[in-house]
Amino acid sequence: EIVLTQSPGTLSLSPGERATLSCRASQSVGSNFLAWYQQKPGQAPRLLMYAASSRATGIPDRFSGSGSGTDFTLTISRLEPEDFAVYFCQHYGTTPPWAFGQGTRVEIK
Amino acid sequence: QIQLQQSGPGLVKPSQTLSLTCAISGDSVSSNSAAWNWIRQSPSRGLEWLGRTYYRTKWYDDYAVSVKSRMSITPDTSRNQFSLHLNSVTPEDTAVYYCARGGSGITVSIFTYWGQGILVTVSS
């Protein structure tokens, strides 16, 4: 079973700055089957990215994803006020179980 | 527009059964291109996938090892909903429970639509 480790735990940044979030897998994630979600307080997670670098419907292009194998990155090019939230990575595929990372909180500095 | 609406109690006593329902609109629980999941979130365990049910000429289900012996997911085609039943609960089952829709094929475990979440507290 793949374990996903996200870093840092918390990222303190100002609006307009660039955010770089990391997700490391305990073993290779086949075919880059890696998704990212955003969660705001009191809300369910929202799908941002899938296949490591493909944006989900309606996600602005300031969000981008990259990586392969065991190391993946979510980048927010210029933080908007609505981007301050918690971000989770998740590996997916056809065979369960599927794990989530523990999350990175992006907070206003 | 697919929407998932969850219902169920927010407080369950230890050793009892936790039951939640997820009502689907804009899609069908019997869809051949969807899978219907339960996921929970707690400070100690983070986001944890619990199980799923899906229809592909017949009904299938899968469960996480951590809950497999205590959990069942039942579809209700007449009401277009699916339910979670988790028995013999302990305080460690206290969490926000979400239902979520996955697709088919490789997207079966990409969770595009989520219910609103219900905080379930296990306490006497």
Side-chain angles (χ1 to χ4, degrees):
Chain A
E1 186 173 329
I2 294 177
V3 175
L4 299 174
T5 302
Q6 294 185 239
S7 62
T10 302
L11 205 46
S12 298
L13 295 167
S14 301
E17 290 193 296
R18 182 185 188 90
T20 303
L21 289 67
S22 173
C23 176
R24 177 162 290 179
S26 59
Q27 57 188 278
S28 182
V29 174
S31 303
N32 292 343
F33 289 157
L34 195 285
W36 290 92
Y37 297 82
Q38 175 194 66
Q39 187 177 34
K40 297 180 180 179
Q43 297 184 14
R46 170 195 181 198
L47 178 67
L48 291 178
M49 313 286 300
Y50 62 95
S53 60
S54 296
R55 279 186 296 276
T57 302
I59 302 304
D61 60 7
R62 64 179 180 274
F63 290 91
S64 63
S66 63
S68 64
T70 60
D71 290 296
F72 298 87
T73 300
L74 175 70
T75 301
I76 310 170
S77 60
R78 288 176 53 85
L79 283 164
E80 297 287 340
E82 62 267 28
D83 299 336
F84 291 91
V86 181
Y87 293 83
F88 297 94
C89 57
Q90 178 223 348
H91 86 91
Y92 62 88
T94 57
T95 304
W98 303 291
F100 293 85
Q102 83 279 18
T104 290
R105 178 180 307 276
V106 179
E107 65 176 23
I108 299 176
K109 185 174 181 179
Chain B
Q1 173 92 359
I2 295 171
Q3 292 186 322
L4 305 178
Q5 181 66 40
Q6 296 177 228
S7 59
L11 181 64
V12 180
K13 290 182 166 50
S15 80
Q16 293 191 339
T17 297
L18 182 166
S19 293
L20 298 172
T21 295
C22 183
I24 303 162
S25 58
D27 201 348
S28 170
V29 71
S30 304
S31 169
N32 279 301
S33 59
W36 305 100
N37 299 263
W38 287 99
I39 296 165
R40 68 183 177 185
Q41 184 174 30
S42 65
S44 58
R45 303 171 76 103
L47 282 164
E48 180 183 16
W49 175 84
L50 297 177
R52 65 172 177 174
T53 188
Y54 59 102
Y55 184 79
R56 304 284 189 270
T57 73
K58 70 175 187 177
W59 288 100
Y60 295 88
D61 54 23
D62 295 290
Y63 300 98
V65 169
S66 61
V67 295
K68 187 171 185 175
S69 63
R70 301 190 290 130
M71 181 168 165
S72 64
I73 299 176
T74 55
D76 183 341
T77 57
S78 64
R79 297 180 180 181
N80 201 30
Q81 63 187 32
F82 62 106
S83 297
L84 158 71
H85 306 283
L86 183 66
N87 60 40
S88 305
V89 296
T90 72
E92 286 66 46
D93 294 310
T94 294
V96 176
Y97 286 75
Y98 293 100
C99 58
R101 179 193 185 276
S104 61
I106 198 54
T107 68
V108 71
S109 53
I110 300 176
F111 306 118
T112 310
Y113 299 96
W114 295 66
Q116 80 276 19
I118 292 181
L119 172 60
V120 178
T121 301
V122 179
S123 175
S124 54

